[in-house]
Amino acid sequence: MAKVGKRIKAAREGVDRNKLYSLDEAISTLKSIGATKFDQTLEIAINLGVDPRHADQMVRGACVLPNGTGKTVRVAVFARDAKAEEATAAGADVVGAEELVQQIQGGTINFDTVIATPDMMPLVGRLGKILGPRGMMPNPKVGTVTPDVTKAVTDAKGGSVQFRVEKAGIIHAGVGKVSFENEKLAENVKALVDAVVKAKPTGAKGTYLKRVALSSTMGPGVKVELASITE
């Protein structure tokens, strides 16, 4: 634990807490400090001028990162007959209907994302208390309730990131691995921020996009100039 403490302390000393870094500077800085034996995730925190307690200020959506997340994602699909075959052909890891419900109710959750065709939602609804707290409940707003299972599976496998504003008005998401090239990380950051901006709710008043910070899994946060992201 002492080694981790020293590493985090050294990383924090390499960051100017009061400085606004350009996007390229922020990525370079985070890649140069706090090296670890595993490939850390680059994480983004977006502060929004919304109060998500009000329904017309809720921000939710999904974004397919142009360069992927760097993670292997296992996908489960609720579908029957031709749609089940389509899901399997698209590369879904688990496909089923009633038997998949029983598997999940029995405690076997060997996947990261759940997709469902619209006709399956009455069945999937039984799993709300299990999938909901895990953030896995299919939802049309993020493209996981859809008749186009091929696109949904392809997006999930190819780097689709779901985002949802938290109580404090902040969105947290992973935008790739620190080992990615700087340019690819920058493209992913810009794509996600753009998707969040496009998801601006009708009830948002005043400044919508307030602050953005980047960090690595075990590194400090770095404040980023908004202009360098939205230009």
Side-chain angles (χ1 to χ4, degrees):
M1 289 299 290
K3 287 183 180 177
V4 172
K6 286 179 183 177
R7 184 163 57 230
I8 292 172
K9 184 179 178 183
R12 286 175 177 163
E13 288 173 354
V15 168
D16 184 343
R17 291 284 178 147
N18 298 313
K19 177 179 176 179
L20 278 176
Y21 289 75
S22 71
L23 179 57
D24 292 339
E25 268 186 311
I27 291 170
S28 297
T29 299
L30 289 171
K31 291 183 76 166
S32 68
I33 60 177
T36 59
K37 292 180 180 178
F38 71 98
D39 192 4
Q40 299 183 66
T41 296
L42 187 72
E43 299 172 359
I44 190 169
I46 306 172
N47 287 64
L48 300 175
V50 297
D51 182 349
R53 291 175 298 179
H54 300 287
D56 65 348
Q57 294 187 48
M58 171 54 69
V59 182
R60 186 173 189 178
C63 170
V64 178
L65 300 179
N67 301 298
T69 62
K71 294 180 180 179
T72 299
V73 178
R74 287 182 57 82
V75 179
V77 178
F78 282 92
R80 286 194 177 96
D81 306 324
K83 287 297 179 182
E85 292 175 13
E86 185 183 329
T88 301
D93 300 277
V94 185
V95 181
E98 282 83 3
E99 70 279 13
L100 183 51
V101 170
Q102 290 173 3
Q103 174 190 315
I104 293 169
Q105 288 175 331
T108 302
I109 300 177
N110 55 348
F111 46 79
D112 308 295
T113 297
V114 181
I115 293 162
T117 53
D119 61 300
M120 298 298 289
M121 285 311 292
L123 192 65
V124 181
R126 301 177 197 170
L127 301 170
K129 290 182 179 178
I130 300 172
L131 298 179
R134 291 175 169 81
M136 291 183 179
M137 196 66 185
N139 188 300
K141 289 185 178 178
V142 295
T144 49
V145 177
T146 174
D148 192 348
V149 292
T150 297
K151 182 179 185 303
V153 172
T154 302
D155 285 352
K157 290 280 188 179
S160 179
V161 172
Q162 295 183 24
F163 57 84
R164 181 173 181 161
V165 68
E166 298 166 7
K167 287 181 181 178
I170 302 173
I171 286 174
H172 288 102
V175 287
K177 293 293 185 178
V178 170
S179 61
F180 284 15
E181 293 173 13
N182 290 23
E183 187 177 323
K184 290 187 175 181
L185 285 170
E187 287 175 355
N188 280 0
V189 168
K190 289 180 177 181
L192 183 67
V193 172
D194 184 56
V196 171
V197 169
K198 287 178 178 173
K200 181 179 179 179
T202 54
K205 300 289 187 288
T207 303
Y208 175 60
L209 191 63
K210 296 175 80 173
R211 288 182 299 278
V212 170
L214 293 176
S215 63
S216 53
T217 307
M218 297 180 69
V222 173
K223 297 175 184 175
V224 186
E225 285 177 340
L226 294 181
S228 67
I229 300 174
T230 56
E231 62 188 3

